[in-house]
């Protein structure tokens, strides 16, 4: 039992609800929401070290022994993600202070933001299939509202597509829950794992596994990412950044959880399919990123590439591959928030996202430009920046099991990442400076700090990889040994 | 931390303080003077290793980075690394000295320039001293990036940006291929250390991935060293300031590929593919570069192509030298080690003469304002010192005595002649190609060297074509090229000092399996009248002839269609990729929700039915199913009927009424299935939902008839039928495939455990109370969302009213 | 121009009382019989909706002066805080307690913390349902 | 005892069902909204009354359980069914729902002719379907 | 015997519901549909009553009352809508 | 019985899918409602049908039907209600702002 596990979910929830009661007091809203995120982060840090010392932490909610109640399970993988979520949320929140506008602040932006975090953190921590669905719905509903925050034409249009796609995927999720419950009679992930291990993963269970793959692919943007480019390019910057950092990652997390803990018996079927999906995703994402001259489009398609890349690590199911995925996942959450914030700032300054109309920003905004450049290099995986280890290990993982095509596509995709990001950099920051100070549509005042903070985290992740390595190795180890998870939950 | 690491990281550390120097001190003192201290220190520091290395010793240091993953900055100082280290720091010193005069402290953003340059220097040093293969890769990419930044230094210029992107894309592409190769190497040797790989070379050569890894690694080396066909980035890289060209694109960065090939020779050499790839690509590049150099009118472009060609020369020598590994410790082995030795020697020589030539061109550019040969001429009298240096550099490049180029060129001819007689790897048939191509390329080399010197410095001086008043460069600018020119001459006269202390240890590092006997590699300017000498004489004679008749035949180049050039290919493929990507993406990302859903549903059906049929087959077990009663059928008919009405009606009240009916029937099902709580909830929710629908109808338009084309409808029909079938089939299979007892038996003790007689309620508030808690949160969020959506709308309208 | 709704309004008054009573009954009874926070809450909401149907928004608002968004938030907070109660006593989050007490009027009564939880649920449901319906009908 | 319970219950329930069925037949066969409304509200209310009474008696006699909820249910249906029918008919009339040919007199006509505002102009009952081609 | 009678009654009610449903589907006016849906609700109450006797359970009593309440609310809402196309009225 | 329910689920899914694929927003919302009904039926059937009495301990019976799916459906119903409410409002807001309820006309262009 470890009640701390619930805190990253409960604190934002309580604070969010309290903030609903006081909608007009903006100072209070800002302070409390920042506090909630920071507190969750610190608690998560604490949990992380407990896991390192004592193994996987669990909390049986309500005191009901698993599998009958709902279990909260903090293994290293999920806790790492929770911590990263808190970091990213913290920075995006600070960015939002200056950029989101008082109108939105009074229209419950902060509570909704906190609910999003509740949902994301909860999805990472829960050890129950149906509870996962509920957490998905929590963050989905929050994201529905956040996407349409502002109520513009494009926002409403894209949020409709986003919402309907997700309604379909939620229905699929429940189909899956029903099938699985019918076959196994349980909902607890650990219990599911042990039951399926006991009975063997037959064709029907594999089919259900693939159903879950579709569900989470829809969330993760793995191949079925049609909703993603539209919905990530319409909301206000801070929201787009948090979406880019978190939403797909929840889906990725779920894929990892399902296919390392429960459906790991038929890798030559399931994992191969995942690998193919990942490869196609990377190719399509790379094409999308290369093809457009639009800040937001380039960035969103980069999100898609990274989804494919991270999942490629899972395919290998080797220690190197999983470790790489975890590194890259953490890196990607931070770096995507970073580049989205910078991209949003560019749009704020110039009033357009069309790269052909932007030029020479670096003269007046050198810090922004260089931070973007470092971010871009980090995405490509240039050592010693944060993406490097992930890239190397994922590639190594795919090579180890002989999926050279997958690793190769991954590396080629990073060339496209480079191309698209440098294209963005060269068009937006280099070239003749065409905007004077007066002509700029907004100011970067107060916006640089959160971006810099994220950059520092990213750099620390890369340069100080040794510091986090123990955690990542532990996480990979736990993913590779489902028995650790099962034992911790079911005792 | 060892003092060596302080030296290694000195450039990076210093780069941090450069902006401050620039900001506060630059007004009085050129920032370059401070930066100069960095390479100088490094150079002097590295000098102390010469005696150690010359004795055959090596040094290694470890700086932990991620020790638990075995990723540490392990450095290894041997002859090869030291040679490069000295070149980097030595030429670096001279280049920075030169740049102080070349770049104005008032007009340029010097801090950026020096940061990039220092970053590059640090990366290059790290590259040549790294033993850890991933660290090596890291520094490798860092050189590409700093090169990108340096080429794009004048980022307002379109050409700069173009060249920068080109170089970055090509070198990083190579870098990524190389990374793949490295990872394969790591998997094969199970170590990150290059030395350990060399020690376990047997495991690698017998591995099935050997050839793949070899090709991939070479791809990296070739792109970096601008080998054919990846050479196209180098001419465009000349957009960088001249000191940069002198440094990166002649002396150091482009040699990284050479370094890599030399470094990995012990691992890969000895195989036919290595020989043919390295030597073949090298010799082709040699020819291609020299051939193209002739037609250039821009001095820097000419030098760029000459660099390509010279790098090809070194590369081909390394390839030839790899035969030594094949032959082992034998006479042939020693013969071919000499080729490797020549490669190292020429590499050094090239750095000196090419560095000086670039600086000369820079001076010309700086003083006259142009680099176009057609506008230049007769500068000899105005700039005598510059002219002298140019002559030294160019003649050395052309392979004439008494300059160091002559020595290595002779050794090169010896090498290609030996290859013709090697008699392995299919050289029996094609061996003769090597000397022939080499000789022809040398003729071209001779010609462009002459063009370089004589078109610029002799002939008629035409000041009217120049924008500036021309005079000799300031002394400071001349110091660096003079020093390099002196080295060029000195090495010719005392080659063996260099040979003994630096080249032979380097050779030993490249070919560790060979017994290197210093006496075998004695360099002498005069080695009798032999084939090589005759070849050189031939080169000079034919070269002079060609130069004299240049005007007559150089026009032939213009007939070569641009469409067939590699550059055109690059531009086309880049534009093509963008266009293709855009087309593909726009093709499936149509923005139509229906299409997205069609994709999703189709994927759902195909994947699940595919796996269900192939993996499970149609096994259904209906034995445990409950019996069907008449009343059930009534409800079923009701639901189906109502559902069809919802589908076909074009009357929204009807749709809602029938939807409500479906809800009522479903809740009737819940009654039949003994779920009172569900029945209650379903009923209430259905009613409230109906009210909601009605409320929204005020704002929503009426239903239209189902419109659309037949094909549209047909697709929808097929997809939806398939969806329904999939869900049903899976449901039937799953319902009949109950493997385990459900866990709900536990909840039947709810009264003892939770004090509740209603099991469902006990589950909701107690056993799974957390779900419920979140579910009301979801409700709360939805309520909030509805409120926010509507408020936004009303505010929007208020605003628009105000503006009216 | 409003048509008169006398019949409807007078019946509604009676019906609403019945529904309210019934809702409370459903809510209180939920632990042992079908019902509970949700259904109780939703049927209360239904009663309020009926009021809105029969009368107009303004009239109802004069009599029920509650910000339903805040009601929702309070409901959720109540539910969460019951959960935190367990934490305070060193038990797992959401641990519910129940016991049988001798109360002066009611005799032996079962008191459970789940009831507080259920109250939270009910409040949240009422708040949300009414909030949504009100928001939509106020929009034009 | 048990036998009597069952017989009484069965009779009530059977009668109730038959009345309901008759009501349904009326709902299908009668010519216009108003007459159908008459059948539906009156008869089915009676039907449900019978069935619920039967149920009530069954539990009263076999378990000795007197269900207030059932009584309340019967009461509620009785309270609301006429109102619902009234509201529907009024809505129908205001929307100019067609009247059967057999109708003799429309007493409300005059009233609504006096107060034309009461009758809706835009008719929602029969929504016109708009064909939009793309 | 008892069970048989109940069963017959159930079937009669099922038939009733289907007939009502026919009216729901057929219309022709919205008022007809709503009236029929209301009828369906009431008949559902009756059939649940028979079920309670059949299963001998009190679990569904609440549901019966609730259906009564809700079908009333639903009917009112529908009627409101077709009458005035606004469900909830506002003063201004 | 499971067989019949499975067929009903299939029909509901088919019609729901067909409606989801249509162009008009209201139809899409109706489709999602139908699908959610099918989901609920699927879940309750996954626990087995007619296997026991209503899960109430107060009536002194033994042998209960599986209560867990019922609890799950309750949660699902409520969540679905929340989503439907939101979607409805979103739809009509979008209709008012964008001026059309035809999803095919809401594709969106590159720059607007």
């Amino acid at each position: 039992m470890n009640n701390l596990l619930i805190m990253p979910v409960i604190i934002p929830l309580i604070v969010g609800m309290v903030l609903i009661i006081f909608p007009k007091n903006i100072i209070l809203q800002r302070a409390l929401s920042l506090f909630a995120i920071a507190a969750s982060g610190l608690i998560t840090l604490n949990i992380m070290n407990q896991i390192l010392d004592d193994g996987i932490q669990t909390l049986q909610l309500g005191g009901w022994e698993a599998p009958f109640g709902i279990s909260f399970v903090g293994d290293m993988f999920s806790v790492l993600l929770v911590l990263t979520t808190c970091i990213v949320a913290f920075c995006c929140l600070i960015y939002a202070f200056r950029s989101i506008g008082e109108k939105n602040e009074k229209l419950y932006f902060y509570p909704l933001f906190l609910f999003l975090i509740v949902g994301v953190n909860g999805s990472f921590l829960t050890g129950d299939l149906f509870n996962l669905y509920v957490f998905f719905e929590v963050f989905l509903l929050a994201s529905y509202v956040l996407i349409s925050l502002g109520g513009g034409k494009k926002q409403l249009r894209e949020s409709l597509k986003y919402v309907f796609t997700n309604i379909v995927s939620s229905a699929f999720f429940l189909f899956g829950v029903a099938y699985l419950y019918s076959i196994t009679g349980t909902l607890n992930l650990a219990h599911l794992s042990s039951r399926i291990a006991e009975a063997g993963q037959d064709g029907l269970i594999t089919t259900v596994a693939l159903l879950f793959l579709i569900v989470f692919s829809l969330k993760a943007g793995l191949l079925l990412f049609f909703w993603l480019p539209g919905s990530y390019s319409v909301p206000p910057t801070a929201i787009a950044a948090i979406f880019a950092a978190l939403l797909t990652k929840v889906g990725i997390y779920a894929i990892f959880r399902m296919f390392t803990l429960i459906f790991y018996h038929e890798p030559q079927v399931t994992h191969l399919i995942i690998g193919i999906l990942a490869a196609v995703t990377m190719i399509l994402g790379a094409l999308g990123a290369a093809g457009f001259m639009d800040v937001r489009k380039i960035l969103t398609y980069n999100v898609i590439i990274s989804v494919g890349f991270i999942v490629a690590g899972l395919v290998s199911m080797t220690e190197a591959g999983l470790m790489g995925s975890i590194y890259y996942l953490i890196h990607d959450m931070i770096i995507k928030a970073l580049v989205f914030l910078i991209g949003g700032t560019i749009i704020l300054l110039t009033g357009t996202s069309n790269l052909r109309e932007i030029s020479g920003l670096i003269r007046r905004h050198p810090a922004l430009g260089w931070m973007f450049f470092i971010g871009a290099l980090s995405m490509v995986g240039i050592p010693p920046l944060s993406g490097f280890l992930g890239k190397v290990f994922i590639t190594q993982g795919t090579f180890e099991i002989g999926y050279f095509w997958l690793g190769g596509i991954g590396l080629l995709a990073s060339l496209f990442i480079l191309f698209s990001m440098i294209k963005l950099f060269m068009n937006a920051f280099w070239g003749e400076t065409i905007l004077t100070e007066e002509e700029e549509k907004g100011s970067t005042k107060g916006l640089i700090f959160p971006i810099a903070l994220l950059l520092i985290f990213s750099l620390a992740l890369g340069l100080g990889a040794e510091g986090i390595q123990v955690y990542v190795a532990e996480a990979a180890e736990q993913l590779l040994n489902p028995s650790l998870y099962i034992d911790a939950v079911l005792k | 931390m060892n003092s060596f690491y302080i030296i290694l990281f000195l450039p990076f550390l210093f780069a941090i303080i450069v902006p401050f120097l620039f900001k506060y001190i630059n007004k009085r003192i050129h920032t370059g003077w401070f930066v100069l201290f960095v390479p100088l220190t490094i150079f002097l520091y590295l000098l102390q290793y010469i005696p150690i290395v010359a004795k055959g010793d090596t040094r290694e240091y470890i700086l932990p980075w991620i020790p638990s993953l075995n990723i540490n900055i392990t450095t290894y100082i041997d002859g090869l690394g030291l040679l490069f280290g000295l070149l980097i720091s030595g030429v670096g010193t001279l280049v920075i000295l030169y740049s102080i005069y070349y770049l104005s402290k008032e007009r340029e953003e010097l801090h950026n320039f020096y940061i990039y340059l220092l970053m590059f220097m640090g990366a290059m040093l790290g590259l040549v001293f790294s033993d850890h293969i991933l660290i090596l890769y890291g520094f490798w990419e860092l050189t590409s990036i700093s090169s990108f930044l340096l080429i794009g230094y004048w980022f307002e210029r379109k050409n700069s940006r173009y060249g920068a992107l080109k170089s970055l894309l090509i070198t990083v592409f190579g870098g990524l291929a190389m990374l793949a190769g490295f990872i394969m190497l790591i998997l094969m040797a199970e170590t990150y250390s290059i030395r350990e790989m060399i020690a376990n070379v047997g495991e690698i050569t017998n591995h099935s991935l050997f050839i793949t890894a070899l090709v991939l690694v070479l791809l990296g080396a070739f792109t970096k060293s601008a080998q054919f066909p990846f050479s196209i980035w180098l001419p465009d890289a000349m957009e960088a300031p001249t000191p940069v060209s002198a440094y990166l694109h002649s002396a150091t960065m482009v040699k990284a590929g050479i370094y890599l090939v030399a470094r990995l020779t012990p691992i890969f050499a000895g195989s036919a593919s290595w020989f043919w790839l390295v030597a073949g690509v090298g010799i082709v590049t040699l020819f291609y570069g020299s051939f193209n150099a002739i037609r250039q009118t821009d001095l820097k472009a000419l030098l760029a192509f000459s660099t390509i060609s010279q790098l090809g020369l070194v590369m081909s020598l390394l390839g030839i030298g790899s035969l030594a590994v094949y032959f082992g410790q034998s006479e042939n082995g020693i013969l071919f080690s000499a080729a490797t030795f020549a490669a190292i020697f020429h590499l050094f020589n090239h750095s000196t003469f090419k560095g000086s030539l670039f600086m000369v061109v820079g001076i010309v550019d700086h003083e006259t304002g142009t680099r176009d040969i057609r506008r230049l001429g007769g500068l000899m009298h105005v700039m005598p010192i510059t002219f002298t240096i140019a002559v030294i550099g160019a003649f050395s490049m052309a392979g004439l005595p008494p300059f160091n180029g002559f020595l290595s060129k002779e050794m090169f001819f010896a090498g290609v002649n030996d290859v013709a007689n090697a008699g392995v790897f299919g050289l029996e048939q094609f061996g003769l190609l090597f000397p022939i191509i080499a000789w022809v390329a040398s003729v071209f080399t001779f010609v462009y060297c002459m063009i370089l010197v004589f078109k610029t410095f002799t002939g008629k001086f035409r000041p009217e074509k120049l924008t500036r008043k021309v005079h000799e460069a300031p002394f400071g600018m001349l110091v660096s090229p003079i020093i390099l020119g002196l080295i060029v001459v000195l090495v010719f006269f005392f080659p063996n000092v260099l040979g003994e202390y630096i080249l032979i240890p380097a050779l030993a590092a490249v070919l560790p399996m060979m017994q290197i006997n210093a006496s075998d590699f004695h360099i002498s300017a005069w080695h009798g009248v032999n084939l090589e000498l005759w070849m050189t004489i031939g080169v000079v004679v034919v070269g002079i002839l060609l130069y004299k008749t240049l005007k007559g035949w150089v026009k032939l180049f213009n007939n070569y269609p641009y469409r067939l050039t590699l550059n055109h290919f690059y531009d086309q493929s880049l534009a093509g990729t963008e266009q293709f990507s855009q087309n593909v993406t726009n093709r499936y990302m149509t923005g139509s929700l229906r299409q997205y859903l069609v994709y999703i549903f189709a994927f759902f059906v195909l994947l699940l039915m595919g796996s269900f049929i192939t993996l499970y087959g149609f096994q259904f077990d209906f034995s445990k199913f409950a019996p069907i009663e008449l009343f059930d059928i009534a409800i079923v008919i009701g639901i189906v009927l109502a559902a069809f009405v919802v589908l076909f009606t074009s009357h929204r009240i009807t749709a809602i009424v029938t939807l409500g009916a479906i809800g009522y029937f479903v809740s009737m099902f819940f009654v039949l299935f003994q779920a009172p709580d569900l029945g209650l909830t379903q009923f209430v929710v259905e009613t409230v939902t109906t009210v909601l629908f009605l409320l929204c109808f005020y704002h929503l338009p009426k239903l239209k008839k189902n419109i659309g084309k037949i094909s549209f409808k047909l697709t929808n029909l097929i997809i939806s039928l398939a969806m329904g079938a999939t869900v049903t089939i899976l449901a039937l299979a799953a319902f009949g495939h109950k493997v385990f007892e459900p866990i709900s038996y536990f909840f039947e003790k709810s009264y003892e455990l939770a004090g509740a007689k209603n099991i469902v309620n006990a589950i909701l508030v107690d056993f799974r109370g957390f779900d419920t808690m979140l579910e009301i949160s979801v409700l709360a969020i939805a309520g909030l969302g509805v409120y926010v959506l509507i408020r936004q709308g009303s505010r929007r309208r208020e605003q628009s009213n105000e503006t009216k | 121009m409003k048509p008169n709704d006398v019949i409807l309004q007078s019946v509604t008054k009676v019906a609403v009382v019945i529904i309210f009573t019934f809702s409370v009954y459903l809510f209180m009874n939920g632990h042992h019989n079908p019902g509970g926070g949700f259904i109780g809450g939703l049927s209360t909401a239904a009663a309020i909706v009926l009021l809105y149907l029969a009368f107009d928004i303004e009239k109802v608002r004069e009599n029920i002066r509650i910000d339903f968004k805040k009601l929702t938030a309070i409901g959720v907070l109540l539910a969460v805080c019951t959960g935190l109660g367990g934490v305070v006593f060193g038990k797992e989050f959401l641990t519910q307690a129940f016991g049988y007490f001798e109360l002066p009027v009611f005799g032996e009564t079962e008191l459970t913390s789940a009831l507080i939880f259920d109250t939270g649920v009910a409040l949240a449901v009422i708040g949300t349902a009414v909030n949504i319906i009100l928001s939509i009908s106020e929009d034009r | 005892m048990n036998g009597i319970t069952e017989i009484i219950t069965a009779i009530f329930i059977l009668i109730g069902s038959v009345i309901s069925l008759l009501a349904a037949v009326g709902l299908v066969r009668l010519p216009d909204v108003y007459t159908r409304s008459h059948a539906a509200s009156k008869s089915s209310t009676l039907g449900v009354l019978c069935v619920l009474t039967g149920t009530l008696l069954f539990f009263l006699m076999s378990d000795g359980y007197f269900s207030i909820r059932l009584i309340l249910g019967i009461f509620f249906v009785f309270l609301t069914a006429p109102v619902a029918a009234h509201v529907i008919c009024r809505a129908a009339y205001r929307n100019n729902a067609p009247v059967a040919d057999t109708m003799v007199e429309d007493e409300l006509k005059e009233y609504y002719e006096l107060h034309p505002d009461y009758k809706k102009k835009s008719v929602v009952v029969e929504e016109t379907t708009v064909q939009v081609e793309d | 015997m008892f069970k048989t009678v109940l069963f017959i009654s159930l079937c009669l009610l099922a038939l009733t519901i289907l007939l009502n449903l026919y009216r729901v589907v057929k219309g022709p006016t919205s008022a007809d549909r709503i009236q029929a849906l209301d009828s369906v609700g009431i008949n559902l109450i009756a059939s649940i009553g028979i079920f309670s006797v059949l299963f001998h359970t009190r679990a569904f009593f609440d549901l019966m009352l609730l259906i009564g309440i809700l079908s009333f609310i639903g009917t009112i809402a529908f009627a409101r809508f077709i009458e005035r196309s606004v469900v909830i009225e506002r003063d201004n | 019985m499971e067989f019949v329910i499975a067929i009903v689920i299939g029909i509901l899914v088919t019609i729901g899918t067909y409606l989801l694929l249509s162009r008009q927003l209201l139809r899409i919302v109706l489709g999602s409602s139908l699908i959610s009904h099918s989901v609920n039926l699927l879940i309750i059937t996954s626990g087995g049908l007619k296997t026991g009495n209503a899960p109430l301990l107060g009536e002194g019976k033994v042998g209960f039907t599986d209560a867990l799916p019922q609890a799950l459906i309750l949660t699902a119903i409520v969540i679905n209600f929340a989503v439907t409410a939101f979607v409805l409002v979103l739809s009509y807001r979008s209709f008012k702002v964008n001026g059309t309820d035809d999803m095919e006309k809401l594709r969106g262009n590159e720059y607007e």
Side-chain angles (χ1 to χ4, degrees), chain D residues 30-69:
Chain D
L30 288 173
D32 66 3
V33 184
Y34 312 100
T35 45
R36 285 196 282 260
S37 164
H38 168 83
S41 63
K42 313 284 184 298
S43 321
S44 56
T45 312
L46 188 63
V48 81
L49 170 79
C50 289
V51 173
L52 290 191
T53 316
T55 314
L56 184 74
L57 290 176
F58 176 77
F59 280 92
L60 185 64
M61 291 192 285
S62 65
D63 297 6
Y65 179 86
F66 182 77
S67 173
I68 299 172
R69 281 170 286 173

Side-chain angles (χ1 to χ4, degrees), chain B residues 165-182:
Chain B
L165 182 65
K166 200 177 197 178
S167 82
L168 187 71
L169 282 182
I170 293 178
T171 51
V172 170
F173 162 72
L176 289 169
M178 188 181 87
L179 178 65
F182 279 180

Side-chain angles (χ1 to χ4, degrees), chain D residues 53-118:
Chain D
T53 316
T55 314
L56 184 74
L57 290 176
F58 176 77
F59 280 92
L60 185 64
M61 291 192 285
S62 65
D63 297 6
Y65 179 86
F66 182 77
S67 173
I68 299 172
R69 281 170 286 173
L70 279 184
I71 293 290
L72 209 59
I74 296 166
F75 173 68
F76 202 89
V77 171
F78 261 76
L79 182 70
T80 58
V83 182
H86 153 76
V87 174
I88 291 170
C89 287
R90 192 169 73 166
Y93 188 82
R94 286 208 185 162
N95 275 304
N96 305 318
V99 183
D101 305 332
T102 50
M103 192 177 76
V104 186
E105 192 183 355
D106 187 354
E107 287 170 5
L108 271 173
K109 204 172 185 178
E110 277 172 42
Y111 176 75
Y112 277 109
E113 273 163 4
L114 278 175
H115 305 273
D117 288 354
Y118 281 11

